[in-house]
Amino acid sequence: VAIDGAPPIVALGTVMGAFRGLVVDYLWIKVNMMKEKGLFFEVMSDADLITKLQPRFGEVWGFHGHNMAYNISVLTNTPEERWEWVQAGIDLVRNKGLRYNPNDVVLHKDLAFWFSHKIDGVADDAHLYYKREFAREWQYLLGVPPPNHKERVAWIKRIADAPETIEELYAKNPAARDLVEQITKDLSGFEQRFQFRLDDGFLKSYGQWEAIRESPYAKILGIEQQLRRTDAEAAGRVQNRLFQTFSRLFDDPARKDAIDDFLAFLRRKVLSERYNMDARLMWQYTRDTGPLDWRHPAAHALYWSKRGGDMASLRYSVEDNISKIVNNDRTFIQSMQALARAGIMSYDP
């Protein structure tokens, strides 16, 4: 398969078929030499080409993600820029690398370590910004979890048991079809970025609306009252119109069952498609290890290290690879320690 924009040596390697490995070796040596010279941005294009030529080469995914989350992020000037690079490194391994290499325990360990060290740790000057943004994203996606363990297990189980397709949702609850049609119609008059799609963007918009309604600070600061204004000055603001549309759609008690089933379905879908996470495993780990709060980065460190150990245990059963399992299990234990110390969260975005 030809790679768009690739230099001649890559095109040649593609044509040569079995000799593609030689091209990958050349590029791998080159990116390591550039890394030693501190040319972290220059590494990006060659590392990306290696992942395209050899997507089952797990080590380069880890190298590429680490380069973005650690090396490049600290070269930027603001916490916002740093967070973008940290997210990019995590997304690369979680959403692409592990889809090609689902049994690679080292990639699981790397990803778990980044959640534990880069976000939950304190080594990076911007760690408090990372923690806030991470908690905001996951609260918008999943909402605020119930306080006690039993309720939290039932809460995540509802998502795990949700229908996998929109057709299954409609078969389970026909009222959900009317809800989706009404959402689509009511949001059709907004600009493109607010159009209804079954994706994380819609969940985050819903989560923001829900957070404003539930926040005592939003009431004290008058944010909710301002967004509910319907006078001529406020009527033209997209934020006001969007908030009022969501209130009209989701404050209707007659639609509660349809709304709950729809949100559970969409959350499971987004977890799988956008974050490469299995809601059934999230439920199992919450049930077996404690009341996990998915707004906490250590919960994600636990998820990926546990998943890596479970999926890779047979592959790495030979004695020479035991160290990989041990390193992964160490990250799992460290995430449990972090949650034992500070796993109860209170957050208001």
Side-chain angles (χ1 to χ4, degrees), residues 254-268:
R255 285 183 168 148
K256 185 180 185 307
D257 289 342
I259 291 169
D260 289 345
D261 287 342
F262 167 70
L263 289 174
F265 153 75
L266 186 54
R267 283 166 174 158
R268 180 178 182 178

Side-chain angles (χ1 to χ4, degrees), residues 6-27:
I9 188 170
V10 175
L12 177 62
T14 304
V15 172
M16 293 172 70
F19 290 97
R20 181 184 301 183
L22 294 175
V23 178
V24 172
D25 286 345
Y26 164 80
L27 291 171

Side-chain angles (χ1 to χ4, degrees), residues 44-310:
M44 293 285 292
S45 59
D46 285 339
D48 187 54
L49 287 172
I50 298 174
T51 62
K52 290 178 179 176
L53 286 170
Q54 292 281 48
R56 309 263 179 213
F57 184 10
E59 187 175 351
V60 76
W61 289 104
F63 174 93
H64 200 3
H66 182 276
N67 187 52
M68 290 191 282
Y70 280 81
N71 298 328
I72 295 178
S73 68
V74 298
L75 297 178
T76 58
N77 298 316
T78 67
E80 293 82 0
E81 290 176 302
R82 280 197 181 193
W83 179 232
E84 287 181 5
W85 281 106
V86 172
Q87 282 186 302
I90 288 173
D91 283 347
L92 182 80
V93 171
R94 179 181 59 196
N95 301 342
K96 293 183 180 179
L98 280 173
R99 292 189 193 273
Y100 286 111
N101 304 275
N103 298 320
D104 193 314
V105 71
V106 177
L107 274 185
H108 281 87
K109 184 270 296 178
D110 287 346
L111 183 59
F113 178 76
W114 299 343
F115 281 112
S116 177
H117 179 261
K118 193 69 174 178
I119 305 178
D120 192 40
V122 297
D124 193 308
D125 292 344
H127 73 93
L128 289 175
Y129 182 84
Y130 301 161
K131 289 175 172 66
R132 287 194 297 269
E133 291 304 303
F134 188 81
R136 183 196 310 275
E137 177 179 13
W138 283 90
Q139 181 159 318
Y140 285 171
L141 289 170
L142 299 182
V144 180
N148 68 60
H149 187 199
K150 185 176 180 180
E151 290 178 347
R152 197 166 296 189
V153 172
W155 169 76
I156 196 68
K157 191 174 191 299
R158 175 157 197 167
I159 300 174
D161 291 342
E164 293 189 40
T165 67
I166 193 74
E167 290 77 17
E168 291 176 9
L169 172 65
Y170 294 159
K172 176 185 177 183
N173 189 337
R177 183 190 297 272
D178 297 332
L179 174 67
V180 170
E181 290 175 353
Q182 192 63 51
I183 295 171
T184 305
K185 177 183 177 183
D186 286 2
L187 294 181
S188 63
F190 289 87
E191 57 187 88
Q192 186 63 28
R193 64 193 175 109
F194 296 118
Q195 296 297 298
F196 173 63
R197 300 178 187 84
L198 293 171
D199 62 9
D200 60 305
F202 178 80
L203 269 185
K204 290 174 182 176
S205 294
Y206 173 84
Q208 187 174 27
W209 168 79
E210 187 175 48
I212 292 170
R213 289 175 63 252
E214 299 295 329
S215 169
Y217 299 105
K219 291 180 174 61
I220 292 170
L221 296 172
I223 296 173
E224 182 178 3
Q225 296 91 320
Q226 182 178 353
L227 290 172
R228 290 190 183 279
R229 283 174 55 192
T230 57
D231 55 60
E233 180 186 352
R237 296 177 188 158
V238 173
Q239 294 91 338
N240 290 66
R241 292 171 54 220
L242 192 64
F243 185 90
Q244 291 157 21
T245 299
F246 271 76
S247 296
R248 187 170 61 254
L249 287 166
F250 295 107
D251 267 342
D252 185 353
R255 285 183 168 148
K256 185 180 185 307
D257 289 342
I259 291 169
D260 289 345
D261 287 342
F262 167 70
L263 289 174
F265 153 75
L266 186 54
R267 283 166 174 158
R268 180 178 182 178
K269 181 178 187 294
V270 167
L271 285 169
S272 175
E273 296 179 0
R274 171 65 182 84
Y275 296 91
N276 193 22
M277 295 178 73
D278 188 336
R280 292 165 297 184
L281 289 181
M282 295 169 71
W283 161 63
Q284 290 173 23
Y285 298 164
T286 302
R287 178 195 63 192
D288 297 341
T289 62
L292 299 181
D293 190 329
W294 297 100
R295 300 172 297 175
H296 199 302
H300 292 254
L302 182 149
Y303 175 92
W304 291 108
S305 55
K306 182 79 169 77
R307 182 178 183 266
D310 291 346

